[in-house]
Amino acid sequence: MSATSNANPNLSHVRILALTGGGYPGLFSAHVLELLEKIQNRNQTAPLKSSFEILAGTSIGAVIAAAIAHGVPAETIRKSFEEKGELVFPRRRTLRPWVGGAKHSPDGLREVILEHIGEDMRLGDIDKWLVIPAIDETNGEPVLYRSYSPSQEDIRVVDAVLASAAAPTFLPLHTMPSISGGNIRLTDGGLIANAPDLVAALDARNALGCPYENMRMISIAPPSHGRSPYPPSAGVDWGVLKWMRRGPRLIQASISAQMKLTRYVTERLGLCEYHLIEGDSTASEDKILKVDSASPEAIKTIASIAERYRIKIGGDEVTKRNLSRILSKNALKRI
C-alpha cells in the first residue's frame, strides 16, 4: 500500500494513541493496551488499531505503536517483552565499562521488532497513520517518520523504530540511508519528544485538518524516573560524574521535564478528550525499574503497577465509560 493512500476518510474527527518512551518499563504500556483491548472487545471484535486513526510512539513506544498499527494483539506484544526482555537488555557479566561504547547490542531489539513486523515492511505498507520521532545526529535535526508521507513510504519500519529507540549510552546510534543520499546516524526520539502527544496532535491538525476540539487522545506512559536518585546531602556543585551517573541523571532529568512540558501544552490545546495513563511507581519500585533492566523482579514490579491501575479504573465508572466510548466502533459518530 502506498503511503499516500493511508489517509483516513473521516478527517474531521480523530482518535489518537500516543505511547511514551522509557526503556524496559515501557512494558507497562503493553499491559495497559491489553486492558484496553478487553474494554474494546466488549463492544466489538477487532484489532486495537481499529479504535485509532493516528498512532504515535517514541523509543519503546515506537516498537509497540508499530506492532499495534500492524494489527498485533497487545497480549502478544506484552508476552514477547516479558519472554525476550533479557535478549534486548542482557544482564552484564563482565566489569568492562561502557564509557567507550554502547552498553548493549541492538541485535536483541531488532529480533523482537522483526518478530512482529517483518524485515521488509515499509512505512507505506502500514494502513494507519503512524508517527515515530527520532533525531538525525549527523545533521542535528529532529526527524518524524510518518507512514503517510510519500517521501518516506519506502523506509523500512524496523529502521524507523530502531532509530527512535537508540537510547544514548544504552544502544548504538542507528545508521540508515538518507532520503537525500548517503547515510545518516540517528538516535533516540525521546531526547526531543519522549511523549509524542503534541507531535501527534499537531499532525492531526496540520496534515489531516482536524480541529483540536474534535480530537480524542489516550496517552500512555511507563513509570517515570523524574525523582532524583540523589539525596539532599548530594549538594549542588555537580560535575560530569554526578550528572552522568545514576541514569544518567542529566538525560533522566531532561527527558522527564520535557515530557511534562509536552503534556502541559497538549492539555491546553482544547482537545475533546485527553486521557493520560501513567504508571504510578513508588520510590522503592523506582530502584528496581531501570531503563535496561528486564530482570524477573522488574517484570513482576511492572505487572504489579499495571494491576494497581486495573483495580483503580475498575472502581472508576467515569473513566471506564470515557475509555470505552473512545474505543467503540461508533466513537466518531458520537463526537
Side-chain angles (χ1 to χ4, degrees):
M1 176 181 291
S2 169
T4 54
S5 67
N6 285 348
N8 191 284
N10 194 336
L11 303 184
S12 60
H13 301 92
V14 169
R15 296 165 298 174
I16 301 168
L17 176 65
L19 303 179
T20 295
Y24 194 72
L27 174 61
F28 170 82
S29 300
H31 276 281
V32 173
L33 290 171
E34 190 175 355
L35 174 61
L36 295 184
E37 271 184 339
K38 292 175 182 176
I39 294 174
Q40 175 204 56
N41 288 330
R42 291 171 187 167
N43 304 314
Q44 61 183 329
T45 302
L48 186 58
K49 72 173 186 175
S50 66
S51 288
F52 301 97
E53 284 64 58
I54 295 181
L55 298 97
T58 303
S59 200
I60 189 170
V63 181
I64 299 172
I68 292 293
H70 187 44
V72 180
E75 180 183 13
T76 301
I77 299 169
R78 190 258 305 164
K79 288 181 177 178
S80 174
F81 276 112
E82 288 180 340
E83 294 168 1
K84 298 187 175 180
E86 290 199 331
L87 179 67
V88 179
F89 295 124
R91 282 180 272 190
R92 298 186 66 83
R93 292 183 173 82
T94 72
L95 296 177
R96 184 180 72 85
W98 85 87
V99 173
K103 188 176 181 183
H104 304 286
S105 163
D107 294 344
L109 179 59
R110 179 187 292 273
E111 182 174 327
V112 171
I113 295 169
L114 294 182
E115 179 181 328
H116 300 304
I117 61 175
E119 179 81 41
D120 295 320
M121 177 171 285
R122 311 286 164 163
L123 286 173
D125 295 329
I126 294 182
D127 62 359
K128 283 289 176 180
W129 286 53
L130 176 67
V131 187
I132 297 176
I135 292 176
D136 173 355
E137 188 280 332
T138 302
N139 299 300
E141 297 176 349
V143 178
L144 294 177
Y145 289 110
R146 299 174 168 105
S147 63
Y148 44 89
S149 170
S151 65
Q152 296 178 335
E153 62 181 3
D154 290 328
I155 293 174
R156 296 190 311 163
V157 178
V158 64
D159 282 321
V161 172
L162 283 171
S164 184
T169 75
F170 293 102
L171 291 166
L173 287 84
H174 185 64
T175 302
M176 59 184 282
S178 168
I179 294 175
S180 57
N183 289 331
I184 53 172
R185 294 186 304 266
L186 296 119
T187 191
D188 192 0
L191 296 174
I192 52 166
N194 198 47
D197 309 28
L198 185 58
V199 167
L202 290 173
D203 260 24
R205 179 70 186 89
N206 296 327
L208 285 173
C210 179
Y212 291 127
E213 59 268 25
N214 287 352
M215 298 180 198
R216 284 181 164 142
M217 182 184 295
I218 296 177
S219 173
I220 307 175
S224 172
H225 291 283
R227 287 182 287 258
S228 177
Y230 293 113
S233 59
V236 295
D237 190 15
W238 293 9
V240 173
L241 289 179
K242 269 275 173 59
W243 276 114
M244 295 310 294
R245 291 177 59 203
R246 298 197 180 184
R249 182 56 186 160
L250 176 62
I251 295 175
Q252 278 185 347
S254 299
I255 288 179
S256 177
Q258 167 243 112
M259 186 171 62
K260 290 171 183 175
L261 178 61
T262 293
R263 291 173 186 158
Y264 175 86
V265 175
T266 305
E267 285 171 350
R268 284 154 181 79
L269 291 178
L271 306 191
C272 177
E273 293 184 52
Y274 181 47
H275 296 282
L276 174 61
I277 301 172
E278 185 172 21
D280 187 13
S281 59
T282 64
S284 60
E285 287 172 332
D286 284 349
K287 294 178 181 177
I288 299 169
L289 301 178
K290 303 186 187 315
V291 168
D292 63 338
S293 174
S295 67
E297 187 179 19
I299 292 172
K300 183 178 178 180
T301 300
I302 295 166
S304 177
I305 295 169
E307 177 63 12
R308 289 203 300 269
Y309 174 74
R310 187 193 66 79
I311 293 171
K312 176 183 176 182
I313 69 161
D316 186 342
E317 292 302 321
V318 174
T319 299
K320 268 197 303 187
R321 187 165 59 249
N322 290 341
L323 291 174
S324 183
R325 182 171 61 245
I326 294 176
L327 297 167
S328 167
K329 64 181 178 181
N330 297 316
L332 295 180
K333 298 177 182 178
R334 291 199 291 264
I335 292 183

